[in-house]
Each structure stands twice: as structure tokens, then as C-alpha cells.
Amino acid sequence: MSGAGFPGDRPVPSGPSAGTSCPDSFAPRRRVVSSAGVRGESEIRDVLHGRLRAAVFVLSLCFLAFFVVNAFSPGVLTGILHLQGVVVVMLMAATALLSTGWKPSSRRLRIMEAVVFGGVGVYFIIAIYLGMRLRLGVEADGAWQLADFLKSALSCMLLIIYTYAIFIPNDARRAARMIAPLALTLLVAPSALALTTPAFRALLGTHPALSFENLGEHALLLTLAASTAVYGAHTINRYRAEVLHSREMNQYVLIRKLGAGGMGDVFLAEHSLLKRPCALKLINEKLDQNPTALARFELEVRATARLSHWNTVEVYDYGRTDLGAFFYVMEYLPGCSLQELVDRHGPLPAGRVIYLLRQACGALNEAHQAGLVHRDLKPPNIFAAYRGGQYDVAKILDFGLVKPIHDERSSVLTLEGVVTGSPLYMAPELIVRNHEPDARVDVYGIGAVAYYLLTGRPPFLGPDAMAVMIAHARDPVEPLSAVVPGVPPDLEEVVLRCLEKDPADRFQDVVSLARALEACSDADDWSAERAAAWWRTHQPIEAADQPPPPPDRETDREALDSLNHVDFQAIARPGPREPLDPELTIAEDRGHPARLLPHGYDATRDRSPSESS
Ligand SMILES: Nc1ncnc2c1ncn2[C@@H]1O[C@H](COP(=O)(O)OP(=O)(O)OP(=O)(O)O)[C@@H](O)[C@H]1O
């Protein structure tokens, strides 16, 4: 047991001065490598490259067909024919270029896409303008010819719009940004003609062929086509995203969903090469569009990655999927959160609370020494995990609200509403803002979590979030022994001191809090052995979450022998990958064993404190 009051056999800072006297000991030992993003980027590029090539090829065939038909039709302007010929040659050249080994960046591909479709739009403006002027000159049935011409121009434009929507991968917003100007090109030429040609103006709205009802119908059709094209692009994009999310995310294979939080879904996943299980948190699509939420997400990842304490969840990686969704990967924690532990088994005995929270203090001490305050400590954010062959290893996660103590920028980032964090466990100074939040906010958080673990309810309850927050700021907390008889007085005193309204009246840091917990009479009442016995009887950890068995030496030797006969060329040229089959469920496909914790677990089961000990 360390002098700072933190249990566990891992190297942890051993005193209040650990961080300040030797800041290097808190230097980041892990680095977040966003390799996933790198691979995702090349995948996006490849998808875009192939799709753009197909789109340009289809367009060049369509334009070639019209060029051939027009070349043999009388009455087509030579100027338009020449222009069409130029467009055909350019589209074919672009198809040929995209079919060579040339590997442009995504940005260049997007520029090329804009040039191709923008060029087609410009061609349409010129061709429609010239074509309309030509037909206007025909004396007898000019207006009817003009209307027919507009109708066929409309059909061609619909073909182009749908080609764009089907082939080019886009989200709805980007699809709209490209499709709307394409659709509007149909309005540009008639508007220009109306401005420059009085004869056309005279026909507009008066001649039955150019009546406003007729033109309005065209406009309606165009608007509907453009809207369905945008919606279609969005749907294709989302369906593809769902298929990808359901199976693979860069180099991670998703096995099953672990749960969902405020920022997004969490999946049990496996690195495809390392075969290491991990938890992958995928940020919500809605938040994806929100720069503040994204900044908060990155802050969460970076803040956690700066910490190296055994009782802080380890971050392995972060990046973006090929569709641009953010995710990060952390160590997978077999076990459950303290919230789930109390939900399933009722309030915890004093010794176990002390055992878990002293470890949490160790992790927080490192964060505080590094200038970070968690600010959102709550039972769901602390895990009782099975790690390194030990049970009840406390792990702090979700550093989403971590705030560097003197970082103005990040304090703004956490301000998405009036206050951030869970109202049930929130320190008064976060609500009243009469005091700059510092590490003592987390001392309050630990006290509130301890209150919940010992009594099964948070320190303050109320009809809504505001009522609870006001209670934190104003009302005296009900003594724990009044809620649950039998809470040891010394532990109750520690918890109530953590929950003092004025930070000056609390423990001034988590080191003194850990020492006070260690000094409680029940501190030695729980141990690694007791934890192991409890988990075995109450909630066995599945074999899938146990360390893998030692390797079979015979198999190893065979594997080594086989290395002498490796077909390196085959490795350099991997065969085609099996297509994704959205019908398969992830778990079935992976042949993964059943869940660690069954869904629909009866929360009222095993509720008595005695049973949970
Ligand atoms: N590293 C992990 N290992 C195992 N399970 C995890 C891990 N991280 C999260 N989970 C589980 O995934 C679910 C969602 O976690 P998450 O942290 O997003 O929830 P939350 O704390 O409610 O989120 P938030 O604080 O953003 O509102 C929870 O049930 C949690 O138990």
C-alpha cells in the first residue's frame, strides 16, 4: 500500500509532491497515433477515384451518343456541334486520365469533379442559349419548337443530375451544393435570353407554348428531381456508412455494441492485425457537424492520452472513418461501471467503496498534477474492471469534460449550454460559478460518487436538473446514515467533507482524500482476493475476456516452419476481399462468444448490500 493512500501494485506517484517535484514523471508515456485516419484518407480517395471515373465515363458515352445523333440531324448549329465535340473529347480524356496509374489526392479529385460537372453546366448554358435563339428565329412555330427544346434540355439535365447523385460519394450538404447550381443552369440561359431579346420576352407568359403553367411545371419537375437526387445521395451515403459501421472501421473490426452515451456509441472491437480487443467510441453523426462537439471530442482523446496512470483508461488510437465520422479507440474493460454495479447488486460495502475510490484518487492525482480537472465524475464514468489478472481495478473514463486548469479555450469548449457535466454529481462552484473550478471539483465528485455507492442514491434528488443543481448549491446534504443505516461514521465523515459547499472546507486535493479513506476503519475490509471471490460468484467474467491461453508450442513451431515457404508475391498482391454482407450480424460473422453482461438484466436482482459483499 502506498503512502499516498492509493491501493494497487502498479507504479503510481507516491506522495503529494510526486507530480510537482518531478514533472517529467507525468510526461506522456503513450502517444495517440491517428494511423486510422491515414488509412481512412486513402480509402476515401480510392472510392472517390473509382466513382468519378465511372461518372465521367457514363457522361462521355451520353455526350458521344448525342454528338453522333446531332451530327446527322439537319438544323443543328455548327457552333453547338463543335462545342459538343470539345466536351466529348474532354470527357474521354478525363476518363483515360482517371484510368491510368495516376493517383491524385482527394482534393485534386474533388477539383476535377467540380471542373467536369461545372464544365458540363457551362456547356448547357451556352447550348441552351444558342439553341433557343435559333428556334426563336423560326417564324411559324418558333414558340412550340422552343418549348420542345427546353423540354429535351430538361431531360438531359435530369440525366446529369442523377448521374452525379448516384456515382459521386457525398453527404447531403455537399450533394446539394453541387446539384443546385447544375439545376439552376437551366434557368440561366432563358433568363439571359429574356433580358437580351424583346421577342422572347413578348412570348413569355402569353404564347400557350411558353405559358407560366407550362414553365412552372418544368421548374417543379426540376426542383423535385434535384431534391430527390440530394436525398438519394444522402441515403446511399448513409446505407454505405451503416454497412461499414456494422462491420469494419479502418483497421478495427466491430464485434458488438457495448452501449451508447452522450457523445456516441461504444463498440467492442478488435484490431485486425494485433487481434487485441478494444472499445471503440464512434461520435454521433449529429455531433459530427458540430465544431464545438468535435473540438470537445478531440480534447477528450488528447487529455486522456496525456495520462498514463494504471487507473485511467488507456487510449490507443483515434481517427476518422472513410466517411469522415470521428472515433477513438481505448482499452476494453471487462467488468462494469460503478453505476451498473450498484444497479445490479445494490449499495456496496464500505471497504469496497474505499478500495475502488482510493484507486480513482490515484488516477485523478496524476490528472491534477498535469493541470487537468475531470469535472464529470459520476458512477458511469468509473469502471470496476478486470485488468492484469485482478478484479475491481478502478478505471476512470470519459475525460470529455476534462479542463486544463488555466485554459480559457477549453473552458469555452465545455460550455455547450449553461453548465456541463451531470447535475446529479456536480460541484456547487460549477453551478453558481462563484469560484473558479479547480481540482476540488473532483474531490466533490468523488464524494458524490461515494454517497451513491454507499446508499444507492445520489446526494441530491429533484424533479428536474435545475432543482438538483440548486440543491447542490444550497441545501445541506442528508447524512448517509440517515439514508442507509450502518455506514461507518468515519467514512461518512470523509464523504460529507468532500461534499462541503465551500471548496475551502473540503479535502484540498485527492492525495489527502486518499489518505483519509485509507485511515478509515474499513479500509482493509476489501482486497484483491475478496474482489476475485465476489466476481466469481456474482458476475463471472467470460472466457472471452480472460487472457488468452499460452500458445501451443507445436502450432508455433509449425507456424515458424511455414515462414520458410511464404509466398511473398501473394502477400504483395492480396486477393480480392470478400464483399461485405449486410445480412450477417457482426457477432455471428465473427463467431464471437456470447456477451459478458446480458442485456435486459433484472436491475432489481441481488439488491441487498449484504449480498454484494
Ligand atoms: N472502455 C470501455 N470498455 C467497456 N465498456 C465501455 C468502455 N467505455 C464505455 N463502455 C460502455 O459503453 C457504454 C457507453 O459509454 P459512454 O462512456 O459513451 O457513456 P456515458 O458515460 O453515458 O457517456 P457520456 O458521458 O458521453 O454521456 C457504457 O455502457 C459503458 O459501460
Side-chain angles (χ1 to χ4, degrees):
M1 216 166 271
S2 75
F6 310 124
D9 57 359
R10 301 279 157 168
V12 292
S14 59
S17 62
T20 40
S21 64
C22 183
D24 280 349
S25 64
F26 294 100
R29 273 186 244 156
R30 305 177 211 128
R31 288 194 324 126
V32 176
V33 186
S34 53
S35 54
V38 176
R39 188 177 158 201
E41 184 60 31
S42 78
E43 278 173 9
I44 300 172
R45 204 204 61 77
D46 289 348
V47 170
L48 185 58
H49 192 146
R51 300 285 198 91
L52 185 59
R53 186 177 51 217
V56 177
F57 177 64
V58 168
L59 282 185
S60 56
L61 286 187
C62 294
F63 269 81
L64 183 64
F66 278 111
F67 178 73
V68 173
V69 171
N70 286 342
F72 293 102
S73 308
V76 175
L77 273 184
T78 340
I80 294 186
L81 202 61
H82 285 165
L83 194 59
Q84 213 169 44
V86 171
V87 175
V88 171
V89 171
M90 283 176 62
L91 287 174
M92 285 188 159
T95 311
L97 183 65
L98 288 168
S99 307
T100 60
W102 182 51
K103 288 231 162 199
S105 63
S106 298
R107 204 171 143 264
R108 288 219 168 125
L109 286 167
R110 286 295 188 189
I111 292 173
M112 199 165 170
E113 170 205 315
V115 169
V116 167
F117 284 91
V120 167
V122 171
Y123 161 79
F124 258 79
I125 293 173
I126 298 171
I128 294 172
Y129 182 81
L130 294 178
M132 285 176 80
R133 275 192 63 167
L134 174 76
R135 278 151 186 86
L136 206 56
V138 180
E139 295 276 312
D141 56 354
W144 289 108
Q145 283 201 24
L146 228 159
D148 278 349
F149 177 74
L150 273 180
K151 216 180 269 175
S152 49
L154 176 67
S155 315
C156 291
M157 185 44 81
L158 298 192
L159 183 73
I160 287 163
I161 286 176
Y162 280 117
T163 304
Y164 181 84
I166 292 169
F167 285 97
I168 306 296
N170 266 327
D171 59 16
R173 199 178 291 184
R174 196 172 181 285
R177 276 207 299 263
M178 286 299 287
I179 288 171
L182 276 176
L184 286 176
T185 54
L186 272 193
L187 287 184
V188 176
S191 309
L193 198 65
L195 285 175
T196 55
T197 318
F200 181 62
R201 267 206 308 274
L203 289 175
L204 264 183
T206 53
H207 194 284
L210 294 172
S211 67
F212 287 128
E213 292 84 47
N214 253 355
L215 295 176
E217 234 171 70
H218 287 5
L220 180 67
L221 184 63
L222 189 65
T223 312
L224 290 178
S227 318
T228 49
V230 171
Y231 183 64
H234 167 72
T235 310
I236 295 171
N237 191 36
R238 215 185 48 195
Y239 174 71
R240 205 168 146 264
E242 274 167 15
V243 171
L244 276 178
H245 288 169
S246 70
R247 294 285 305 272
E248 256 182 72
M249 200 154 289
N250 299 49
Q251 63 267 75
Y252 297 93
V253 179
L254 305 190
I255 296 170
R256 67 178 155 90
K257 189 166 162 177
L258 291 168
M263 293 290 283
D265 294 339
V266 181
F267 295 89
L268 173 60
E270 187 183 81
H271 191 282
S272 53
L273 299 177
L274 294 172
K275 302 292 174 206
R276 172 171 67 177
C278 46
L280 187 149
K281 189 164 183 172
L282 180 67
I283 197 163
N284 279 342
E285 231 176 80
K286 275 172 267 149
L287 296 177
D288 230 358
Q289 314 291 336
N290 176 344
T292 313
L294 283 182
R296 187 189 139 186
F297 174 77
E298 284 217 74
L299 197 66
E300 173 173 342
V301 179
R302 295 216 171 104
T304 310
R306 280 173 66 185
L307 306 172
S308 58
H309 196 277
W310 164 247
N311 296 110
T312 301
V313 71
E314 189 173 352
V315 171
Y316 296 146
D317 195 359
Y318 84 107
R320 268 173 179 252
T321 66
D322 58 351
L323 291 164
F326 280 92
F327 68 88
Y328 79 86
V329 186
M330 60 190 138
E331 67 177 310
Y332 168 59
L333 302 172
C336 64
S337 72
L338 297 189
Q339 174 80 48
E340 288 163 329
L341 199 60
V342 174
D343 278 353
R344 288 172 190 165
H345 305 285
L348 307 184
R352 194 174 186 187
V353 173
I354 295 171
Y355 185 81
L356 288 164
L357 294 187
R358 280 175 58 213
Q359 296 177 64
C361 286
L364 287 170
N365 183 42
E366 185 205 28
H368 294 166
Q369 298 291 346
L372 301 166
V373 186
H374 191 291
R375 295 171 35 130
D376 192 27
L377 289 172
K378 54 184 178 180
N381 280 347
I382 306 178
F383 247 73
Y386 172 72
R387 302 302 287 151
Q390 280 186 41
Y391 293 85
D392 269 1
V393 174
K395 287 272 185 182
I396 297 193
L397 32 80
D398 228 354
F399 274 71
L401 297 178
V402 149
K403 171 187 176 297
I405 288 172
H406 298 298
D407 187 342
E408 279 304 314
R409 185 177 153 268
S410 58
S411 71
V412 173
L413 293 180
T414 61
L415 282 173
E416 282 158 8
V418 182
V419 285
T420 50
S422 170
L424 290 174
Y425 304 93
M426 192 176 279
E429 59 268 34
L430 290 176
I431 299 156
V432 187
R433 297 193 173 269
N434 56 352
H435 192 285
E436 184 57 29
D438 58 24
R440 290 171 295 181
V441 162
D442 288 343
V443 170
Y444 189 93
I446 287 286
V449 170
Y451 196 104
Y452 177 78
L453 299 182
L454 289 163
T455 63
R457 49 152 272 201
F460 297 102
L461 293 168
D464 54 37
M466 188 49 75
V468 175
M469 289 195 290
I470 291 171
H472 274 286
R474 206 187 49 192
D475 297 351
V477 66
E478 195 178 354
L480 293 87
S481 44
V483 182
V484 172
V487 174
D490 51 1
L491 181 57
E492 177 171 30
E493 198 182 310
V494 171
V495 174
L496 292 179
R497 187 165 164 203
C498 291
L499 292 174
E500 288 288 349
K501 309 281 180 225
D502 185 348
D505 295 335
R506 294 177 207 148
F507 294 99
Q508 293 303 292
D509 51 47
V510 283
V511 177
S512 11
L513 168 57
R515 286 211 183 101
L517 287 170
E518 189 185 10
C520 287
S521 52
D522 287 78
D524 292 329
D525 198 37
W526 197 263
S527 61
E529 293 71 34
R530 278 202 72 179
W534 185 92
W535 279 90
R536 274 197 287 269
T537 47
H538 288 79
Q539 204 170 294
I541 300 279
E542 290 234 351
D545 294 315
Q546 301 275 4
D552 175 351
R553 287 181 179 268
E554 222 19 71
T555 320
D556 268 6
R557 201 167 308 122
E558 275 168 26
L560 281 173
D561 286 348
S562 70
L563 278 178
N564 296 326
H565 313 289
V566 170
D567 179 357
F568 285 103
Q569 290 205 342
I571 292 175
R573 274 183 286 97
R577 292 171 68 181
E578 286 213 355
L580 297 176
D581 182 354
E583 292 298 308
L584 282 178
T585 69
I586 310 158
E588 279 163 1
D589 179 46
R590 300 285 308 153
H592 201 271
R595 293 162 189 278
L596 161 65
L597 305 171
H599 272 256
Y601 195 95
D602 180 5
T604 55
R605 223 170 69 190
D606 310 332
R607 266 211 174 257
S608 80
S610 57
E611 268 192 78
S612 54
S613 59

